[in-house]
Amino acid sequence: MEASTMIFISEVDSTSLCKIKATTILFSTITNLHHHLLTLIIIMSLSLQSGGTSSRALPHPSTSSGLTAPAEATTRPITTGTSVLGVKYNGGVMLAADTLCSYGSLAKYKNARRLLPINSRTLVGASGEYSDLQSISDLLRRNALEDRCTADSLYEEETESEECAKEVWSYLRAVMYNRRNKMNPLWNDVVVAGFKQDADGTTSDEPFLGIVDKIGTAYEDDILATGFGSYLALPLLREKYSANMEEGEARALLEDCLRILFYRDCRALNRVQIAKVTKESGVLVSEPYELDTHWEFKGFITNKGEMGTDGGW
């Protein structure tokens, strides 16, 4: 009797032990699968974030300001620069702009430089929101650095890997149109100056001057102006421009237009910059300097409306 009882107990104990072992193995397997699944979900969420990973695109707002921060858009320009003028001349392209950034009607920053070299044969200038211009500048310079780092040669004299002015202009058109479609435009009118390139990648003899506005509208011309300059300076440029004008003539014409804008545009300043692109010298941007002005014009000192006032309306 006792022997049979012991045999029965041992059989029960071995059966229970097998069940416990099976349950333990099953639990550990489920736990491991859970950990692997969680790890896979985390990796997929990190690799599929919105905005993409292309280095030729502006960063998505959600990736630059934090995962939980709401998307923000500039609803109107706040700190702005006014006109940029551009003209082709015999042997190159020249841009001109003043250095004032206005905060509303306040002349806040008087040394804001809006003519920016991108590479050895491309120059950009922009009117509009200054922070958006800084964003565009960072984007284009990052692309230029990428071109330099991935080039076949590290010698600066070999510029075949650099984007020419027309390529930068075409790329900006796509960027501005893309941002416009997202209802978050870059509030700038951008002038691109430089040279085209030949089929073999060398710099062409043909200069380039193009403009892209905040909704992606783009066109080329021999003379260009943005901001108030498109109303006040462009007629003067059309009247005085000639296709074979020399560098000195182009500079004098742009300075005259900037002087007129200083007289007539309350967001303009007589502290200006001139920049040029030539095939031989590449991109050159002057230091800011002040234009001479003359306030003895009869129209500035006579009474307006013959009302005996101090000159105001």
Side-chain angles (χ1 to χ4, degrees):
M1 180 66 180
E2 292 180 358
S4 62
T5 301
M6 291 177 64
I7 293 172
F8 175 74
I9 292 172
S10 64
E11 289 177 354
V12 172
D13 291 340
S14 62
T15 303
S16 301
L17 184 60
C18 290
K19 290 182 178 180
I20 292 172
K21 288 182 178 179
T23 303
T24 303
I25 294 171
L26 180 62
F27 179 75
S28 63
T29 303
I30 293 174
T31 304
N32 290 333
L33 287 175
H34 176 72
H35 284 296
H36 288 309
L37 182 60
L38 183 60
T39 303
L40 181 61
I41 291 173
I42 292 174
I43 293 174
M44 291 179 63
S45 65
L46 291 176
S47 62
L48 295 179
Q49 287 183 0
S50 60
T53 58
S54 173
S55 62
R56 295 291 169 112
L58 290 176
H60 193 274
S62 63
T63 60
S64 59
S65 58
L67 295 177
T68 60
E72 297 180 356
T74 303
T75 56
R76 60 187 178 91
I78 303 297
T79 305
T80 59
T82 185
S83 309
V84 175
L85 311 179
V87 61
K88 292 181 184 179
Y89 64 92
N90 185 18
V93 191
M94 189 173 292
L95 298 186
D98 63 29
T99 60
L100 177 65
C101 269
S102 302
Y103 184 79
S105 60
L106 173 67
K108 190 170 180 64
Y109 304 107
K110 297 183 179 181
N111 195 32
R113 307 188 180 198
R114 297 183 289 120
L115 302 180
L116 308 172
I118 301 304
N119 54 42
S120 65
R121 54 184 177 181
T122 305
L123 171 73
V124 300
S127 58
E129 173 61 42
Y130 194 71
S131 63
D132 286 346
L133 171 59
Q134 291 175 319
S135 178
I136 291 172
S137 173
D138 290 343
L139 174 66
L140 295 179
R141 286 176 175 172
R142 186 168 66 244
N143 292 347
L145 179 61
E146 179 184 345
D147 291 338
R148 173 66 64 186
C149 292
T150 57
D152 294 333
S153 174
L154 296 179
Y155 294 103
E156 293 186 359
E157 294 78 9
E158 299 180 11
T159 60
E160 287 82 0
S161 63
E162 291 182 344
E163 292 180 319
C164 69
K166 189 167 186 178
E167 289 175 328
V168 173
W169 171 76
S170 182
Y171 172 69
L172 274 179
R173 178 196 56 77
V175 170
M176 303 295 262
Y177 185 70
N178 175 266
R179 290 291 295 263
R180 167 261 183 107
N181 287 342
K182 292 181 178 180
M183 302 301 172
N184 185 21
L186 294 165
W187 295 82
N188 299 105
D189 292 341
V190 184
V191 178
V192 181
F195 280 84
K196 300 178 182 180
Q197 70 179 13
D198 295 324
D200 59 356
T202 58
T203 302
S204 170
D205 293 330
E206 183 180 0
F208 175 86
L209 182 63
I211 186 172
V212 185
D213 69 8
K214 63 179 178 297
I215 61 174
T217 303
Y219 58 91
E220 306 173 43
D221 206 343
D222 294 332
I223 52 174
L224 289 174
T226 68
F228 236 91
S230 61
Y231 301 98
L232 297 178
L234 200 56
L236 300 175
L237 291 171
R238 287 171 178 159
E239 180 182 358
K240 302 293 184 181
Y241 174 76
S242 62
N244 58 351
M245 66 192 313
E246 297 298 326
E247 179 181 329
E249 296 175 310
R251 183 182 184 118
L253 177 58
L254 291 178
E255 286 183 346
D256 287 342
C257 291
L258 290 172
R259 191 176 288 110
I260 294 298
L261 288 171
F262 176 57
Y263 292 150
R264 300 297 183 182
D265 182 4
C266 61
R267 302 291 182 268
L269 190 67
N270 66 331
R271 181 179 170 85
V272 303
Q273 276 187 294
I274 301 287
K276 67 175 183 177
V277 189
T278 60
K279 186 175 180 180
E280 296 78 16
S281 303
V283 177
L284 295 175
V285 183
S286 74
E287 290 296 316
Y289 64 95
E290 292 190 4
L291 295 174
D292 295 329
T293 56
H294 178 64
W295 294 95
E296 301 302 321
F297 294 117
K298 185 177 180 181
F300 291 157
I301 60 178
T302 55
N303 295 335
K304 299 296 190 296
E306 301 297 331
M307 297 178 65
T309 63
D310 59 357
W313 287 101

